[in-house]
Amino acid sequence: TSSTADAYSEPLSGALGGGILDDHYPERNATEIPRNTKIFVTFKEAIDPESMIDGYDLDPRSTDVNVDSILIYRTEVGESDALEPTEVAVTFTDDFEIWVFDPVDYLGSSEDDTNYTVVLTTNIETADGDAAFSGTYSGGYEWTFEVSTEIDLTPPVVTFNIPQEGVEEPKNVSIEITFSEAMDPVAATGTYDDSIGEYFTNIEVVDSSGSNVEGVFEISNGYKTVGFTTFDQCGEDPCGDPIYCLPGEEDLTVTAKSASIDADEIPQSLFALADGLVDAAANVLDGDDDYDSEV
């Protein structure tokens, strides 16, 4: 695969890290991205869904992208080539901070690598009604990446987890699961909190009595690692930051669940909004790493 991503200048890049943006996928100038990829954007605070989804103010069930705020187009052609509202489905996490843009049709071409640009415009607003891009970063944000000629049909697998099975750990140990590739953050993050009626169960931490341990699942490491933090603050570290603890003297079981599989398109997810863990190309988690693409 030849690389063309570095042939284009990258203006409006400072908002990542220094501004309101925390992360995005694909990465800037990434190459060999499959044609069936989704695009992720993580903000540092909640974003107004009306500025991200066309018609959300009239119907919160709407999923069409708001092209006044997000443009996705072939770099060589320019903004006139931007995908239309009905050509990109939008999902988001419960806190309105992570947004997933899923092109309805495959990007690029089966014959040639294709460079794409994503533009986050100044029309994006925070949940408070303020401009998301302001001050030094008031021009918005954009980046490019290269789409290959290939379709991704390789399921993700778990490559590492903390703690290891059967190991006795202190109760303030972190629970983390690392996957072989970027995972859809809408399917991989959430909160289990009985007091507010939020029951994220695509990943579960269960105690010896069979009860779910309450806490928050968050994603990091380029959308490859999911970490779990309980609500039980049990102390402070030397810097005064809170320490959170798991139930002590307990055998805990952590389960990462695969999404339902589309029997006609294995290993793709059956549902657009997956009911379990899927990667950036909607391939469902292969929990025991036994998938054979030749079968």
Side-chain angles (χ1 to χ4, degrees), residues 243-258:
I243 296 174
Y244 296 95
C245 285
L246 296 162
E249 301 297 327
E250 289 269 9
D251 289 329
L252 302 178
T253 301
V254 182
T255 305
K257 301 179 181 179
S258 298

Side-chain angles (χ1 to χ4, degrees), residues 216-236:
V216 179
F217 296 88
E218 299 177 301
I219 201 161
S220 60
N221 185 31
Y223 303 95
K224 291 183 179 181
T225 299
V226 177
F228 176 72
T229 303
T230 72
F231 298 138
D232 181 15
Q233 183 177 344
C234 55
E236 294 182 347

